[in-house]
Amino acid sequence: MDGRLTLKTVAAAAGVSTAAVSYAFNRPGRLSEPVRERILAVARELGYAGPDAAGRTLRTRRAGAIGVIFTVGLSYAFSDPYVLAMLSGLTEVAEPARTSLVLIPFDLGADGHDDDGLREGLVAVHRAVIDGAIADGPADDHPAVLALAARNIPLVRSSTTASGPSVCIDDRAAGVDVGRYLAGLGHRDVTVVVACPQPPGVPVPVVDEATLYPYSALRLAGIREGLGRRARVRVVSGGRNAPESGRAAAALVLDGDRRPTAIAADSDMLAAGVLDALRQRDLEPARDVSVSGFDDSSLAGPAGLTTVRQPVREKGRLMARMLLDPDFTERRVILPTELVVRSSTGPATHH
């Protein structure tokens, strides 16, 4: 194929105008079927695949796509029920609007200073042919956020700490609900399991809270507030948000000298790992150690997990509407949460 093939090349070979060639690829209803078929046949013979998407965007300011920024690898993201629910909400709005989703991984590695990850992420953001972007969680100083701002790409995020448009929940208030509930059951010795920027399954017995994801820091602060000053709160992690991280974090406290009466995980994925760790030690949730999660994802109900319900699909829908629906003028939406009590929690028992 000749890389210099253009609309003009095809138009000259087919004996039509360049506009007719553009219509054949982008607006077929403007041409009769025989004319369109003849143009496409000539294009195939020449090896012309169609107008360049990036070039078309520069002219029309409409790529017909929005980017979804993932601060983790895509293989991990698609294992998370929260992410899948959010994507489902996005597509409910994007599909009727004939808008595609461009998935953009921007993984900075365990310590947040992976030069290769940074370089690859920046290249992906700068090359993406998109009209806007959605990101779940990154702070204002994240390189992806800064790169999108440099391109003047509209961005919607899902964090209460984000400047600019956002659809979020009040993570701290939801954490307060968890803490107050556990305190009401008599729990005064509570371990909080959080996600942190480490590989999944790596025990972190002393967490540097300054490095926590914004949502984790807010939920932790809320749980502490809800439990009150008399409670003993230990914060541990097992790495990024994954069941193996929950198992590793739970092992730190279940195998220690002083077992907590409750473990509050800041996601259902982590809580699932905590429940696994209990089963491995023949301990029963609620009877021996109470366990709570966060999100009320698809795995929470079958596991009998007490958790905070947030409307994840609705979050995805509203984030997409902020970018795609001109009649949707709100720039900041805070969605409600609800504490859902199930069988994984019960009154505190003294060990």
mmCIF file of all heavy atoms in Angstrom, residues 279-308:
data_model
loop_
_atom_site.group_PDB
_atom_site.id
_atom_site.type_symbol
_atom_site.label_atom_id
_atom_site.label_comp_id
_atom_site.label_asym_id
_atom_site.label_seq_id
_atom_site.Cartn_x
_atom_site.Cartn_y
_atom_site.Cartn_z
ATOM 1 N N ARG A 279 -11.266 -18.121 56.632
ATOM 2 C CA ARG A 279 -11.598 -19.527 56.347
ATOM 3 C C ARG A 279 -10.367 -20.422 56.444
ATOM 4 O O ARG A 279 -10.440 -21.547 56.946
ATOM 5 C CB ARG A 279 -12.241 -19.638 54.969
ATOM 6 C CG ARG A 279 -13.697 -19.184 54.934
ATOM 7 C CD ARG A 279 -14.348 -19.544 53.620
ATOM 8 N NE ARG A 279 -13.837 -18.726 52.536
ATOM 9 C CZ ARG A 279 -14.413 -17.580 52.149
ATOM 10 N NH1 ARG A 279 -15.494 -17.136 52.755
ATOM 11 N NH2 ARG A 279 -13.904 -16.880 51.154
ATOM 12 N N GLN A 280 -9.235 -19.918 55.961
ATOM 13 C CA GLN A 280 -8.004 -20.702 56.005
ATOM 14 C C GLN A 280 -7.582 -21.008 57.440
ATOM 15 O O GLN A 280 -6.862 -21.974 57.693
ATOM 16 C CB GLN A 280 -6.883 -19.952 55.280
ATOM 17 C CG GLN A 280 -7.079 -19.872 53.770
ATOM 18 C CD GLN A 280 -6.107 -18.906 53.111
ATOM 19 O OE1 GLN A 280 -5.274 -18.276 53.768
ATOM 20 N NE2 GLN A 280 -6.207 -18.763 51.793
ATOM 21 N N ARG A 281 -8.039 -20.194 58.388
ATOM 22 C CA ARG A 281 -7.665 -20.363 59.792
ATOM 23 C C ARG A 281 -8.815 -20.909 60.632
ATOM 24 O O ARG A 281 -8.768 -20.848 61.868
ATOM 25 C CB ARG A 281 -7.178 -19.023 60.345
ATOM 26 C CG ARG A 281 -5.843 -18.588 59.735
ATOM 27 C CD ARG A 281 -5.588 -17.103 59.892
ATOM 28 N NE ARG A 281 -4.268 -16.751 59.350
ATOM 29 C CZ ARG A 281 -4.017 -16.588 58.048
ATOM 30 N NH1 ARG A 281 -4.996 -16.755 57.154
ATOM 31 N NH2 ARG A 281 -2.795 -16.283 57.635
ATOM 32 N N ASP A 282 -9.855 -21.407 59.972
ATOM 33 C CA ASP A 282 -11.043 -21.958 60.643
ATOM 34 C C ASP A 282 -11.692 -20.944 61.576
ATOM 35 O O ASP A 282 -12.208 -21.291 62.654
ATOM 36 C CB ASP A 282 -10.675 -23.228 61.433
ATOM 37 C CG ASP A 282 -10.266 -24.371 60.514
ATOM 38 O OD1 ASP A 282 -10.857 -24.477 59.419
ATOM 39 O OD2 ASP A 282 -9.347 -25.119 60.881
ATOM 40 N N LEU A 283 -11.656 -19.678 61.162
ATOM 41 C CA LEU A 283 -12.332 -18.620 61.896
ATOM 42 C C LEU A 283 -13.615 -18.250 61.165
ATOM 43 O O LEU A 283 -13.675 -18.298 59.935
ATOM 44 C CB LEU A 283 -11.436 -17.382 62.012
ATOM 45 C CG LEU A 283 -10.122 -17.572 62.777
ATOM 46 C CD1 LEU A 283 -9.261 -16.327 62.679
ATOM 47 C CD2 LEU A 283 -10.390 -17.926 64.239
ATOM 48 N N GLU A 284 -14.631 -17.866 61.907
ATOM 49 C CA GLU A 284 -15.925 -17.568 61.304
ATOM 50 C C GLU A 284 -16.198 -16.062 61.350
ATOM 51 O O GLU A 284 -16.083 -15.445 62.410
ATOM 52 C CB GLU A 284 -17.034 -18.312 62.051
ATOM 53 C CG GLU A 284 -18.404 -18.132 61.423
ATOM 54 C CD GLU A 284 -19.456 -18.962 62.127
ATOM 55 O OE1 GLU A 284 -19.117 -20.076 62.591
ATOM 56 O OE2 GLU A 284 -20.600 -18.502 62.232
ATOM 57 N N PRO A 285 -16.575 -15.482 60.197
ATOM 58 C CA PRO A 285 -16.930 -14.065 60.197
ATOM 59 C C PRO A 285 -18.063 -13.799 61.170
ATOM 60 O O PRO A 285 -18.975 -14.618 61.337
ATOM 61 C CB PRO A 285 -17.364 -13.802 58.753
ATOM 62 C CG PRO A 285 -16.698 -14.873 57.944
ATOM 63 C CD PRO A 285 -16.637 -16.083 58.844
ATOM 64 N N ALA A 286 -18.014 -12.673 61.833
ATOM 65 C CA ALA A 286 -19.006 -12.223 62.822
ATOM 66 C C ALA A 286 -18.787 -12.912 64.177
ATOM 67 O O ALA A 286 -18.726 -12.247 65.203
ATOM 68 C CB ALA A 286 -20.443 -12.428 62.358
ATOM 69 N N ARG A 287 -18.644 -14.230 64.201
ATOM 70 C CA ARG A 287 -18.448 -14.907 65.484
ATOM 71 C C ARG A 287 -17.061 -14.639 66.043
ATOM 72 O O ARG A 287 -16.908 -14.278 67.225
ATOM 73 C CB ARG A 287 -18.657 -16.411 65.338
ATOM 74 C CG ARG A 287 -18.591 -17.179 66.665
ATOM 75 C CD ARG A 287 -18.431 -18.665 66.424
ATOM 76 N NE ARG A 287 -17.125 -18.977 65.838
ATOM 77 C CZ ARG A 287 -16.787 -20.176 65.353
ATOM 78 N NH1 ARG A 287 -17.672 -21.157 65.363
ATOM 79 N NH2 ARG A 287 -15.576 -20.385 64.861
ATOM 80 N N ASP A 288 -16.041 -14.826 65.206
ATOM 81 C CA ASP A 288 -14.657 -14.653 65.656
ATOM 82 C C ASP A 288 -14.109 -13.267 65.318
ATOM 83 O O ASP A 288 -13.446 -12.642 66.147
ATOM 84 C CB ASP A 288 -13.765 -15.732 65.025
ATOM 85 C CG ASP A 288 -14.172 -17.133 65.435
ATOM 86 O OD1 ASP A 288 -14.314 -17.367 66.648
ATOM 87 O OD2 ASP A 288 -14.378 -17.981 64.548
ATOM 88 N N VAL A 289 -14.336 -12.836 64.102
ATOM 89 C CA VAL A 289 -13.885 -11.511 63.649
ATOM 90 C C VAL A 289 -14.942 -10.949 62.707
ATOM 91 O O VAL A 289 -15.321 -11.616 61.737
ATOM 92 C CB VAL A 289 -12.524 -11.577 62.910
ATOM 93 C CG1 VAL A 289 -12.098 -10.180 62.463
ATOM 94 C CG2 VAL A 289 -11.452 -12.207 63.783
ATOM 95 N N SER A 290 -15.402 -9.750 62.978
ATOM 96 C CA SER A 290 -16.334 -9.101 62.058
ATOM 97 C C SER A 290 -15.566 -8.513 60.879
ATOM 98 O O SER A 290 -14.435 -8.027 61.034
ATOM 99 C CB SER A 290 -17.110 -7.989 62.772
ATOM 100 O OG SER A 290 -18.077 -8.529 63.639
ATOM 101 N N VAL A 291 -16.177 -8.564 59.692
ATOM 102 C CA VAL A 291 -15.523 -8.077 58.467
ATOM 103 C C VAL A 291 -16.502 -7.190 57.712
ATOM 104 O O VAL A 291 -17.671 -7.555 57.524
ATOM 105 C CB VAL A 291 -15.072 -9.241 57.565
ATOM 106 C CG1 VAL A 291 -14.404 -8.703 56.299
ATOM 107 C CG2 VAL A 291 -14.129 -10.169 58.308
ATOM 108 N N SER A 292 -16.014 -6.043 57.263
ATOM 109 C CA SER A 292 -16.826 -5.171 56.410
ATOM 110 C C SER A 292 -16.031 -4.774 55.174
ATOM 111 O O SER A 292 -14.802 -4.809 55.174
ATOM 112 C CB SER A 292 -17.272 -3.915 57.168
ATOM 113 O OG SER A 292 -16.158 -3.092 57.487
ATOM 114 N N GLY A 293 -16.768 -4.398 54.129
ATOM 115 C CA GLY A 293 -16.144 -3.992 52.879
ATOM 116 C C GLY A 293 -16.645 -2.632 52.439
ATOM 117 O O GLY A 293 -17.136 -1.837 53.240
ATOM 118 N N PHE A 294 -16.545 -2.400 51.146
ATOM 119 C CA PHE A 294 -16.970 -1.118 50.587
ATOM 120 C C PHE A 294 -17.245 -1.294 49.103
ATOM 121 O O PHE A 294 -16.429 -1.869 48.397
ATOM 122 C CB PHE A 294 -15.868 -0.065 50.786
ATOM 123 C CG PHE A 294 -16.372 1.341 50.865
ATOM 124 C CD1 PHE A 294 -16.431 2.014 52.065
ATOM 125 C CD2 PHE A 294 -16.804 2.001 49.731
ATOM 126 C CE1 PHE A 294 -16.900 3.318 52.152
ATOM 127 C CE2 PHE A 294 -17.286 3.297 49.793
ATOM 128 C CZ PHE A 294 -17.333 3.958 51.006
ATOM 129 N N ASP A 295 -18.377 -0.823 48.629
ATOM 130 C CA ASP A 295 -18.818 -0.777 47.227
ATOM 131 C C ASP A 295 -20.128 -1.524 47.003
ATOM 132 O O ASP A 295 -20.904 -1.159 46.142
ATOM 133 C CB ASP A 295 -17.780 -1.323 46.219
ATOM 134 C CG ASP A 295 -16.539 -0.452 46.137
ATOM 135 O OD1 ASP A 295 -16.662 0.761 46.387
ATOM 136 O OD2 ASP A 295 -15.450 -0.997 45.849
ATOM 137 N N ASP A 296 -20.361 -2.615 47.727
ATOM 138 C CA ASP A 296 -21.471 -3.526 47.461
ATOM 139 C C ASP A 296 -21.416 -4.003 46.015
ATOM 140 O O ASP A 296 -22.397 -3.929 45.270
ATOM 141 C CB ASP A 296 -22.828 -2.889 47.764
ATOM 142 C CG ASP A 296 -23.932 -3.939 47.906
ATOM 143 O OD1 ASP A 296 -23.615 -5.077 48.306
ATOM 144 O OD2 ASP A 296 -25.098 -3.632 47.603
ATOM 145 N N SER A 297 -20.264 -4.517 45.637
ATOM 146 C CA SER A 297 -20.073 -5.063 44.294
ATOM 147 C C SER A 297 -20.767 -6.411 44.182
ATOM 148 O O SER A 297 -21.356 -6.908 45.145
ATOM 149 C CB SER A 297 -18.577 -5.208 43.996
ATOM 150 O OG SER A 297 -17.979 -6.118 44.905
ATOM 151 N N SER A 298 -20.676 -7.014 43.022
ATOM 152 C CA SER A 298 -21.405 -8.262 42.754
ATOM 153 C C SER A 298 -20.976 -9.409 43.653
ATOM 154 O O SER A 298 -21.719 -10.382 43.821
ATOM 155 C CB SER A 298 -21.208 -8.657 41.285
ATOM 156 O OG SER A 298 -19.828 -8.818 40.984
ATOM 157 N N LEU A 299 -19.798 -9.333 44.239
ATOM 158 C CA LEU A 299 -19.333 -10.441 45.090
ATOM 159 C C LEU A 299 -19.782 -10.283 46.541
ATOM 160 O O LEU A 299 -19.669 -11.211 47.339
ATOM 161 C CB LEU A 299 -17.808 -10.577 45.020
ATOM 162 C CG LEU A 299 -16.933 -9.362 45.349
ATOM 163 C CD1 LEU A 299 -16.763 -9.158 46.838
ATOM 164 C CD2 LEU A 299 -15.571 -9.513 44.683
ATOM 165 N N ALA A 300 -20.314 -9.121 46.930
ATOM 166 C CA ALA A 300 -20.625 -8.869 48.334
ATOM 167 C C ALA A 300 -21.824 -9.676 48.827
ATOM 168 O O ALA A 300 -21.768 -10.285 49.902
ATOM 169 C CB ALA A 300 -20.868 -7.377 48.552
ATOM 170 N N GLY A 301 -22.914 -9.665 48.057
ATOM 171 C CA GLY A 301 -24.121 -10.372 48.479
ATOM 172 C C GLY A 301 -23.899 -11.852 48.707
ATOM 173 O O GLY A 301 -24.214 -12.370 49.799
ATOM 174 N N PRO A 302 -23.357 -12.590 47.720
ATOM 175 C CA PRO A 302 -23.124 -14.020 47.913
ATOM 176 C C PRO A 302 -22.183 -14.343 49.076
ATOM 177 O O PRO A 302 -22.276 -15.408 49.674
ATOM 178 C CB PRO A 302 -22.492 -14.455 46.574
ATOM 179 C CG PRO A 302 -22.989 -13.461 45.585
ATOM 180 C CD PRO A 302 -23.069 -12.161 46.338
ATOM 181 N N ALA A 303 -21.280 -13.399 49.398
ATOM 182 C CA ALA A 303 -20.338 -13.628 50.496
ATOM 183 C C ALA A 303 -20.929 -13.239 51.847
ATOM 184 O O ALA A 303 -20.279 -13.445 52.882
ATOM 185 C CB ALA A 303 -19.061 -12.831 50.260
ATOM 186 N N GLY A 304 -22.154 -12.682 51.863
ATOM 187 C CA GLY A 304 -22.745 -12.236 53.126
ATOM 188 C C GLY A 304 -21.987 -11.078 53.740
ATOM 189 O O GLY A 304 -21.943 -10.927 54.967
ATOM 190 N N LEU A 305 -21.411 -10.228 52.895
ATOM 191 C CA LEU A 305 -20.501 -9.187 53.364
ATOM 192 C C LEU A 305 -21.244 -7.903 53.722
ATOM 193 O O LEU A 305 -21.964 -7.327 52.896
ATOM 194 C CB LEU A 305 -19.459 -8.895 52.278
ATOM 195 C CG LEU A 305 -18.428 -7.807 52.574
ATOM 196 C CD1 LEU A 305 -17.532 -8.226 53.734
ATOM 197 C CD2 LEU A 305 -17.591 -7.535 51.321
ATOM 198 N N THR A 306 -21.050 -7.438 54.933
ATOM 199 C CA THR A 306 -21.505 -6.103 55.311
ATOM 200 C C THR A 306 -20.636 -5.087 54.582
ATOM 201 O O THR A 306 -19.403 -5.191 54.603
ATOM 202 C CB THR A 306 -21.385 -5.900 56.835
ATOM 203 O OG1 THR A 306 -22.319 -6.758 57.493
ATOM 204 C CG2 THR A 306 -21.666 -4.465 57.221
ATOM 205 N N THR A 307 -21.269 -4.118 53.951
ATOM 206 C CA THR A 307 -20.501 -3.218 53.096
ATOM 207 C C THR A 307 -21.247 -1.909 52.890
ATOM 208 O O THR A 307 -22.404 -1.758 53.301
ATOM 209 C CB THR A 307 -20.223 -3.899 51.734
ATOM 210 O OG1 THR A 307 -19.342 -3.094 50.946
ATOM 211 C CG2 THR A 307 -21.511 -4.118 50.961
ATOM 212 N N VAL A 308 -20.571 -0.965 52.274
ATOM 213 C CA VAL A 308 -21.181 0.309 51.894
ATOM 214 C C VAL A 308 -21.596 0.227 50.431
ATOM 215 O O VAL A 308 -20.771 -0.050 49.558
ATOM 216 C CB VAL A 308 -20.208 1.487 52.100
ATOM 217 C CG1 VAL A 308 -20.802 2.777 51.524
ATOM 218 C CG2 VAL A 308 -19.894 1.667 53.573
#
